[in-house]
């Protein structure tokens, strides 16, 4: 199990040339690969309702299965992920024998897993070294398909390789000086599920704010701010 710390920005596909002209990225070496990512769940989205996503991604002839928890956090996100190689775009739950989702998919539920969301993406990656941390910057441009609907999208992802998470915020702020970007509040899984439901790009009502007994004031305030920011961005 590993922890990813990332910050994502939404980009208008028409502004992609501006991304590549950014002073930091223009000086760095880059590489581009095509990726296919498929998200699996039951028809009733049992995994999603219990706080998990299950995907398989094809990159360069390899297939990587990933399980992630769904988080309410927006902006700078830190979460645990479990990755393992599989033999095809189909998931292999036998490799997740110690994970909670095996219990969720017991009693034949695993056979009901379906490919619900598909991403076809070209990813261009840069490695940037900063005084307080190393960052991988990924530009994803492609299409998402779900429930017979398809939509073009583009996003920038800043992922911490080493150093302080503040370096991600500093890099994103510098990008904002050259490119009209917006803070992303949707994971790829969330984007796909909203597309499937026909709610992507439409009026969004405020979601549930998950406050629990035992939280400190600081923890509760952070969750409330994130919920407000997400509601605002979905309707901006």
């Amino acid at each position: 199990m590993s922890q990813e710390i990332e910050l994502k920005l939404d980009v208008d596909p028409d502004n992609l040339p501006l991304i590549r002209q950014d002073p930091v990225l223009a000086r760095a070496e880059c590489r581009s690969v095509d990726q296919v990512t498929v998200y699996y769940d039951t028809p009733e989205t049992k995994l999603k309702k219990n706080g998990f996503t299950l995907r398989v991604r094809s990159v360069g002839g390899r297939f990587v299965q990933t399980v992630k928890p769904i988080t309410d956090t927006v902006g700078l996100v830190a979460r645990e992920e479990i990755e393992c190689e599989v033999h095809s775009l189909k998931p292999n739950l036998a490799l997740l024998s110690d994970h909670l989702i095996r219990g969720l998919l017991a009693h034949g539920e695993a056979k009901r897993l379906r490919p619900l969301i598909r991403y076809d993406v070209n990813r261009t990656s840069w490695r940037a070294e900063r005084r307080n941390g190393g960052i991988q910057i990924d530009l994803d441009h492609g299409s998402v398909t779900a429930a017979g609907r398809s939509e073009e999208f583009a996003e920038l992802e800043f992922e911490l390789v080493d150093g302080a998470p503040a370096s991600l915020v500093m890099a994103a702020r510098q990008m904002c000086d050259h490119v009209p970007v917006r803070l992303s509040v949707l994971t790829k899984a969330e984007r796909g599920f909203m597309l499937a439901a026909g709610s992507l790009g439409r009026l969004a009502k405020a979601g549930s704010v998950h406050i629990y007994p035992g939280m400190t004031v600081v923890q509760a305030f952070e969750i409330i701010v994130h919920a407000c920011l997400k509601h605002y961005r979905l309707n901006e």
Side-chain angles (χ1 to χ4, degrees):
M1 181 181 294
S2 61
Q3 184 182 62
E4 63 172 0
I5 300 177
E6 64 181 21
L7 189 154
K8 294 204 301 183
L9 303 175
D10 287 331
V11 184
D12 187 322
D14 291 338
N15 290 325
L16 292 180
L18 296 177
I19 298 288
R20 302 177 188 278
Q21 294 167 14
D22 177 81
V24 174
L25 301 187
R27 296 192 301 266
E29 292 186 5
C30 69
R31 59 184 178 87
S32 294
V33 295
D34 292 326
Q35 298 181 346
V36 176
T37 304
V38 180
Y39 285 83
Y40 291 85
D41 209 328
T42 66
E44 301 83 15
T45 64
K46 187 171 185 178
L47 294 181
K48 173 177 175 287
K49 291 173 181 176
N50 283 275
F52 295 101
T53 62
L54 171 64
R55 78 180 189 206
V56 181
R57 175 171 290 166
S58 171
V59 184
R62 297 174 60 236
F63 301 93
V64 180
Q65 174 179 277
T66 305
V67 176
K68 293 185 181 183
I70 296 174
T71 175
D72 292 327
T73 304
V74 299
L76 190 63
V77 177
R79 55 183 174 174
E80 302 288 344
E81 64 178 5
I82 297 177
E83 289 190 340
C84 55
E85 284 203 41
V86 292
H87 297 298
S88 70
L89 269 177
K90 295 182 179 180
N92 184 350
L93 297 185
L95 301 176
L96 300 171
S97 58
D98 298 328
H99 197 279
L100 180 60
I101 69 168
R102 283 299 300 271
L104 296 175
L105 298 174
H107 310 297
E109 285 288 288
K111 296 180 180 179
R112 302 182 66 245
L113 285 176
R114 299 289 184 271
L116 300 187
I117 304 164
R118 177 184 172 109
Y119 277 89
D120 293 272
V121 170
N122 178 264
R123 168 170 286 189
T124 302
S125 300
W126 296 263
R127 174 69 182 262
E129 296 295 337
R130 303 179 63 87
R131 286 180 299 175
N132 55 348
I135 303 171
Q136 176 164 315
I137 303 173
D138 295 323
L139 172 61
D140 287 349
H141 178 218
S143 63
V144 51
T145 304
R149 301 181 178 93
S150 185
E151 181 169 293
E152 182 184 14
F153 84 103
E155 66 181 19
L156 267 172
E157 180 179 295
F158 297 79
E159 183 169 356
L160 190 68
V161 177
D162 55 61
S167 62
L168 300 181
V169 179
M170 294 174 62
R173 283 178 173 171
Q174 286 188 344
M175 182 67 69
C176 291
D177 292 337
H178 305 281
V179 186
V181 293
R182 293 290 184 269
L183 184 67
S184 177
V185 296
L186 293 177
T187 64
K188 283 187 172 65
E190 287 177 310
R191 185 188 300 272
F193 282 119
M194 290 181 70
L195 179 64
S199 59
L200 189 63
R202 296 188 178 183
L203 179 68
K205 295 184 178 181
S208 300
V209 180
H210 301 122
I211 303 296
Y212 303 105
M215 283 184 172
T216 66
V217 172
V218 172
Q219 291 170 330
F221 181 74
E222 181 179 0
I223 290 173
I224 293 169
V225 170
H226 287 172
C228 292
L229 180 58
K230 185 170 187 175
H231 187 209
Y232 168 78
R233 278 290 292 117
L234 291 176
N235 289 291
E236 187 180 12

